[in-house]
Amino acid sequence: MEPHDHEQRSPKSPQTSSQPPTTGTCCKCGGPTTFAPPPPSPSWSEISPPPTYRPIRAPAVPPDTHSQRAIILAPVPQAQKVPVVSPPYCFQTPSKKIHSPDDIRHFHDSDSGNNFLGFVAALSESIRGRKISDPCHQSETVNTIVSILDSLIQWVEEIPPVQQAARYGNTAYRTWHSRLVESSESLMLRFLPDHLHSATIEIAPYFTDSFGNSSRIDYGTGHETNFAAWLYCLARLGLINEEDYQAVVTRIFVKYLELMRKLQLVYSLEPAGSHGVWGLDDYHFLPFIFGASQLIDHKYMKPKSIHNEDILDNFSNEYLYLACIAFVKKVKKGLFAEHSPMLDDISGVPNWNKVNTGLLKMYKAEVLEKVPIMQHFLFGWLIKWE
């Protein structure tokens, strides 16, 4: 080993006895030295704030932790029977009523608000432990609605997207949506009995607002909620009842989801009011609730099974939750834990029952109690503003 010095020498300022030597470690032989160790690196506060960056594993905790705690402590929404209206009918053009948090509280304290959420919970309960392909009661009304949704899917084929530079919002969607609005009354009359033809004025606006906004060319959970409200109106009219609920989810809602995925991909619909990485999904919420209910008490598939690609490939056609996860992985690139941290966190929940009840509570808090979403919700005679 070549000779080297272990002492710190300074020709200008010799070492004084008042200062004890500071020992370090020689980088060549490991022995003690009197060289001063390097100064500690300054903290961020001494020079500049840390750079903005996204950690590899973004924690799925929204900024408002009090809101999350409120969701956890909230009671689980329970299934309710839908009261059927009887003559004399007073159908009216529905209008918007929610403008403030006070209005939100008023809605949820009302019978209409409670019963609508109870209807969603009843739909969820109806497919507990059932696959999409399981046989179920299918009324003529259910079959007609599925046929209507098939027609809307066909319209997408007839109205191709236009060439444009913008990433989101293909303007051909407006042509599709205008055809929907123009045809809405005739579509409603395909399943409404003669004595309920006058209901068209009230139920058609819910239907036309279920597939996105034509001016903004976007779609979100508010539009999905309008579709659920439209189905709720049909239940209020007695056109669908509890024995139809399984088919409402596995036939009607599955077909609706197929249509929406096509609209989202073909016309590049922008997510409306998306929470980005902190949200459950850019577009949908209800299929996660229904899909978690399907998987309750499944022998083999657990919430963590969403990370198994073989399971997604083989069973996403039978289970809505798995279909949603497969779609997210198809359209988003990168690590799942990065682009969908909330779904990744939910995969750590021990069983599907906890996932289902947690999502029901979250739907109430994050969708039905948010003014930016519910300000577009409609009220008429079937869903009363009381």
Side-chain angles (χ1 to χ4, degrees):
M1 181 183 295
E2 63 182 47
H4 55 278
D5 201 347
H6 280 185
E7 288 190 334
Q8 183 175 16
R9 304 183 188 282
S10 173
K12 294 184 180 178
S13 52
Q15 186 180 1
T16 61
S17 58
S18 61
Q19 288 287 341
T22 307
T23 61
T25 303
C26 177
C27 64
K28 295 185 177 180
C29 67
T33 74
T34 57
F35 287 104
S41 57
S43 65
W44 286 115
S45 60
E46 293 175 306
I47 49 174
S48 68
T52 302
Y53 74 100
R54 197 156 134 236
I56 291 176
R57 174 63 173 84
V61 181
D64 186 2
T65 55
H66 297 293
S67 173
Q68 288 299 101
R69 181 167 175 79
I71 293 173
I72 293 170
L73 297 176
V76 179
Q78 299 298 313
Q80 293 186 21
K81 292 183 180 296
V82 176
V84 178
V85 296
S86 55
Y89 302 124
C90 303
F91 301 121
Q92 58 186 262
T93 303
S95 59
K96 300 174 183 179
K97 300 290 187 183
I98 293 177
H99 307 288
S100 68
D102 286 339
D103 293 335
I104 289 283
R105 284 188 287 273
H106 177 81
F107 173 57
H108 286 286
D109 288 341
S110 69
D111 291 339
S112 293
N114 282 316
N115 197 237
F116 173 66
L117 183 58
F119 171 69
V120 173
L123 291 179
S124 172
E125 186 66 29
S126 71
I127 55 162
R128 180 171 178 149
R130 300 179 185 275
K131 296 185 294 186
I132 290 174
S133 65
D134 283 354
C136 60
H137 171 75
Q138 288 183 239
S139 67
E140 189 60 36
T141 299
V142 167
N143 290 334
T144 304
I145 294 171
V146 171
S147 174
I148 289 171
L149 295 173
D150 272 325
S151 298
L152 302 188
I153 292 173
Q154 181 58 37
W155 293 357
V156 181
E157 301 293 336
E158 298 168 7
I159 306 171
V162 299
Q163 293 293 323
Q164 62 180 46
R167 177 186 171 195
Y168 279 117
N170 194 283
T171 53
Y173 171 76
R174 291 180 177 141
T175 306
W176 182 92
H177 197 275
S178 64
R179 185 188 290 190
L180 168 71
V181 174
E182 291 164 6
S183 307
S184 60
E185 184 173 345
S186 61
L187 293 174
M188 299 302 101
L189 295 178
R190 283 173 61 176
F191 61 84
L192 284 174
D194 292 344
H195 70 285
L196 288 175
H197 277 190
S198 57
T200 304
I201 189 176
E202 183 157 341
I203 66 174
Y206 289 101
F207 186 74
T208 56
D209 205 21
S210 297
F211 307 96
N213 182 279
S214 60
S215 58
R216 295 189 302 269
I217 313 183
D218 64 5
Y219 173 87
T221 50
H223 302 105
E224 180 187 67
T225 297
N226 271 326
F227 189 72
W230 179 71
L231 293 172
Y232 175 75
C233 287
L234 301 189
R236 290 273 284 148
L237 293 170
L239 298 176
I240 56 176
N241 49 52
E242 289 186 28
E243 67 175 350
D244 297 315
Y245 282 5
Q246 184 183 344
V248 167
V249 177
T250 62
R251 303 297 182 264
I252 295 177
F253 197 84
V254 166
K255 184 62 68 174
Y256 169 73
L257 194 59
E258 178 188 341
L259 167 61
M260 288 319 309
R261 294 303 193 202
K262 196 172 187 70
L263 290 171
Q264 289 154 20
L265 293 175
V266 172
Y267 300 128
S268 303
L269 301 188
E270 189 166 2
S274 169
H275 291 283
V277 72
W278 304 116
L280 185 70
D281 181 78
D282 284 343
Y283 298 106
H284 293 283
F285 204 115
L286 291 177
F288 290 94
I289 295 175
F290 300 152
S293 180
Q294 284 183 282
L295 288 160
I296 290 174
D297 297 330
H298 195 283
K299 283 186 178 181
Y300 309 110
M301 282 186 275
K302 308 300 179 190
K304 64 182 179 183
S305 299
I306 66 166
H307 301 295
N308 186 317
E309 294 299 326
D310 286 340
I311 286 179
L312 294 182
D313 290 342
N314 292 308
F315 297 100
S316 59
N317 61 326
E318 289 285 13
Y319 297 98
L320 280 166
Y321 196 97
L322 301 182
C324 289
I325 297 295
F327 185 80
V328 168
K329 290 189 173 186
K330 173 185 172 183
V331 299
K332 294 190 176 182
K333 306 303 179 186
L335 294 175
F336 185 74
E338 285 191 2
H339 60 63
S340 302
M342 186 169 289
L343 290 174
D344 187 61
D345 276 1
I346 291 173
S347 71
V349 175
N351 60 68
W352 288 110
N353 189 57
K354 284 185 177 292
V355 174
N356 177 251
T357 56
L359 288 175
L360 275 168
K361 293 192 287 185
M362 188 177 170
Y363 180 67
K364 180 176 185 285
E366 296 296 330
V367 177
L368 300 185
E369 291 183 354
K370 296 299 183 187
V371 174
I373 296 174
M374 294 303 290
Q375 66 182 345
H376 304 293
F377 196 75
L378 299 172
F379 294 88
W381 184 65
L382 296 170
I383 303 179
K384 288 185 172 68
W385 179 252
E386 300 166 309

